[in-house]
Amino acid sequence: MFSGSTEVITWTSTNIEKIKIEFSTNNGVDWILVVNDIDAINNSYQWLVPQFESENCLIKISDISEPLRYGYSVKFSVSKPGSINLIQPNGGESLIVGTTYKIRWSMTNVDGRDVWVYLSSDNGQIWSEMKRANPGVTAFDWLIPKGNTLEQSLTSNYKLKVQGTSFGQTVSDISDLTSVS
């Protein structure tokens, strides 16, 4: 689970009208209110997970009228969602055909098997895969190719995109325009 995601909290109850849901980031030492006074018969609640990280999280559901009637979830972890940041080129550079340029990016919580680097020579309309890298790789040397026509090789409409996955969601960063001559 990651912060900023929406998760469904479910429960079963008997002879309870209203419940309170709380969560803990420190294994039950402190509790933070999620919702108070919800109908127990609903049996579920959509929770927008707040921005935090912890490996010691718990959910507590208690009876409003009898607070000593409660139940806990199993311990779970919350991580910040993943991100990719394209460091270079990230727009405004003037690259020269036939030279080598280092493409660099940083990643946080990218959990997919691979990271892809894509190139577009038409301002992001069509993307072509340039490189497939393992998640631990954050750079590669790009030999700037000549296009099939002079028009393709001399353009200011190049963009790069680095893309991966984090908790099943696609994360990416796209450069601003970079010129190649």
Side-chain angles (χ1 to χ4, degrees), residues 22-38:
E22 300 168 283
F23 77 96
S24 173
T25 61
N26 56 11
N27 212 21
V29 174
D30 299 299
W31 293 97
I32 300 162
L33 181 65
V34 173
V35 65
N36 197 14
D37 202 33
I38 188 170

Side-chain angles (χ1 to χ4, degrees), residues 11-13 16-19 38-44:
W11 64 87
T12 58
S13 61
I16 297 174
E17 286 185 39
K18 301 280 188 175
I19 63 164
I38 188 170
D39 291 330
I41 198 166
N42 291 341
N43 292 331
S44 70

Side-chain angles (χ1 to χ4, degrees), residues 39-177:
D39 291 330
I41 198 166
N42 291 341
N43 292 331
S44 70
Y45 178 80
Q46 292 211 3
W47 177 42
L48 177 60
V49 181
Q51 297 292 325
F52 70 92
E53 284 186 288
S54 174
E55 295 181 358
N56 298 305
C57 299
L58 294 169
I59 295 288
K60 178 181 177 183
I61 298 177
S62 56
D63 183 341
I64 293 286
S65 62
E66 292 182 48
L68 295 179
R69 286 180 69 183
Y70 58 85
Y72 295 110
S73 68
V74 297
K75 188 166 85 170
F76 60 95
S77 298
V78 174
S79 300
K80 289 189 177 175
S83 65
I84 293 179
N85 181 35
L86 182 58
I87 297 168
Q88 72 180 42
N90 204 9
E93 296 88 350
S94 295
L95 308 180
I96 300 169
V97 170
T99 63
T100 300
Y101 188 84
K102 186 171 286 294
I103 297 174
R104 295 184 321 120
W105 62 92
S106 63
M107 300 180 294
T108 304
N109 292 336
V110 174
D111 59 3
R113 201 178 109 225
D114 296 314
V115 173
W116 291 268
V117 180
Y118 296 97
L119 173 69
S120 172
S121 61
D122 60 3
N123 197 22
Q125 298 299 309
I126 298 172
W127 295 97
S128 300
E129 184 178 320
M130 292 175 59
K131 178 78 174 172
R132 183 182 231 175
N134 292 328
V137 174
T138 58
F140 83 94
D141 291 329
W142 173 37
L143 176 59
I144 301 166
K146 293 181 180 180
N148 295 332
T149 67
L150 182 61
E151 184 179 328
Q152 284 179 317
S153 64
L154 301 176
T155 180
S156 60
N157 293 327
Y158 275 88
K159 286 188 173 188
L160 287 128
K161 174 169 64 171
V162 180
Q163 180 175 302
T165 60
S166 175
F167 301 98
Q169 302 294 316
T170 299
V171 292
S172 64
D173 191 18
I174 298 174
S175 73
D176 294 327
L177 295 175

Side-chain angles (χ1 to χ4, degrees), residues 1-12:
M1 162 179 330
F2 62 95
S3 56
S5 66
T6 300
E7 303 293 333
V8 178
I9 299 171
T10 61
W11 64 87
T12 58

